[in-house]
Amino acid sequence: DVKVTQSSRYLVKRTGEKVFLECVQDMDHENMFWYRQDPGLGLRLIYFSYDVKMKEKGDIPEGYSVSREKKERFSLILESASTNQTSMYLCASSPVGGYHNSPLHFGNGTRLTVT
Amino acid sequence: AQKVTQAQTEISVVEKEDVTLDCVYETRDTTYYLFWYKQPPSGELVFLIRRNSFDEQNEISGRYSWNFQKSTSSFNFTITASQVVDSAVYFCALSEAGAGNNRKLIWGLGTSLAVNP
């Protein structure tokens, strides 16, 4: 069964900390995505990657960076966590093709709280 | 500009009722894709269906059916004989086809469906 795994289900961090959210997929997918989900705002794309070491900004990249050193792993980094980054973070992957035309496979999400 | 509107924020039905979730979209492209995803309380979004703009045939999968009408720019989702397990947030999304990093998936805000026993 195909799977996208996010390393943590719940995470609590302090303001100013550097935070790493990890995502691994076992489907050999080229494309990987990071979204955040907030009540009333829906899903917003932070970054995506269509190949190893490649990355593209989404709609709300400010305050975030990403790393894709291996095909199966896509990390989201909060350089200096702030309270407005408290959110549900969703990782997704999709096979080669139009980046945003293929069905997405999602992980279970990481609920991050920044205090 | 692309836009997806799910006008129903929350719907509550009693088990075995039929329920339709509305999705209206805006796009200037002639080639595009429409999607529905389900997010149960566990949090993981699950892909339900993708439809391209040239295929207006309605789709049925068990108790689920989708009605795509380009004339009204709608892609509505109907659950027949709803069950408690259908309780979830349902998202509609739109993607314009073609290459280009500026093409993105546009999401509706979701409809929260509660099916009560």
Side-chain angles (χ1 to χ4, degrees):
Chain A
D1 197 13
V2 296
K3 209 162 176 63
V4 177
T5 303
Q6 295 184 231
S7 54
S8 303
R9 189 81 169 102
Y10 298 95
L11 212 51
V12 180
K13 296 292 181 181
R14 292 193 180 273
T15 302
E17 277 193 75
K18 190 168 186 176
V19 181
F20 293 85
L21 302 184
E22 306 286 348
C23 176
V24 176
Q25 51 98 0
D26 64 1
M27 295 166 280
D28 201 35
H29 283 171
E30 279 70 20
N31 305 318
M32 295 189 75
F33 306 80
W34 275 107
Y35 284 90
R36 65 178 281 178
Q37 183 178 18
D38 300 286
L41 297 176
L43 279 81
R44 293 180 291 167
L45 181 64
I46 305 172
Y47 268 98
F48 69 99
S49 167
Y50 52 89
D51 201 353
V52 175
K53 297 192 185 295
M54 305 303 288
K55 61 183 180 183
E56 293 288 338
K57 292 180 180 179
D59 298 315
I60 52 164
E62 297 78 19
Y64 303 94
S65 62
V66 290
S67 172
R68 192 157 181 213
E69 296 296 319
K70 293 185 178 181
K71 190 176 186 180
E72 67 271 18
R73 186 179 295 270
F74 192 34
S75 303
L76 179 69
I77 303 153
L78 286 66
E79 296 291 343
S80 177
S82 63
T83 54
N84 62 13
Q85 292 179 309
T86 291
S87 184
M88 171 69 90
Y89 289 88
L90 299 169
C91 176
S93 70
S94 69
V96 68
Y99 313 137
H100 306 286
N101 296 336
S102 300
L104 296 172
H105 298 261
F106 282 87
N108 278 341
T110 295
R111 186 166 293 282
L112 172 68
T113 302
V114 183
T115 61
Chain B
Q2 296 172 283
K3 187 178 178 182
V4 174
T5 302
Q6 295 182 255
Q8 305 146 308
T9 306
E10 295 180 359
I11 300 175
S12 181
V13 299
V14 176
E15 213 171 10
K16 298 184 184 176
E17 279 187 50
D18 298 347
V19 57
T20 295
L21 311 182
D22 297 332
C23 174
V24 174
Y25 63 92
E26 294 177 28
T27 179
R28 284 178 289 189
D29 270 20
T30 56
T31 305
Y32 50 89
Y33 292 90
L34 293 161
F35 301 81
W36 275 96
Y37 287 84
K38 173 183 180 180
Q39 186 178 37
S42 60
E44 179 180 339
L45 276 96
V46 176
F47 164 75
L48 295 177
I49 190 171
R50 180 182 72 170
R51 183 55 104 218
N52 75 54
S53 52
F54 297 109
D55 182 2
E56 284 193 76
Q57 201 167 10
N58 290 336
E59 176 97 6
I60 297 175
S61 176
R63 296 182 297 105
Y64 293 175
S65 62
W66 290 268
N67 184 317
F68 176 29
Q69 291 199 333
K70 288 176 76 171
S71 59
T72 55
S73 296
S74 65
F75 186 43
N76 296 338
F77 173 30
T78 297
I79 302 174
T80 302
S82 59
Q83 299 177 1
V84 172
V85 293
D86 295 326
S87 296
V89 181
Y90 292 87
F91 291 93
C92 181
L94 163 71
S95 172
E96 291 172 342
N101 294 342
N102 60 334
R103 297 185 181 275
K104 294 188 175 69
L105 189 60
I106 305 300
W107 295 82
L109 293 183
T111 296
S112 178
L113 173 65
V115 181
N116 302 298

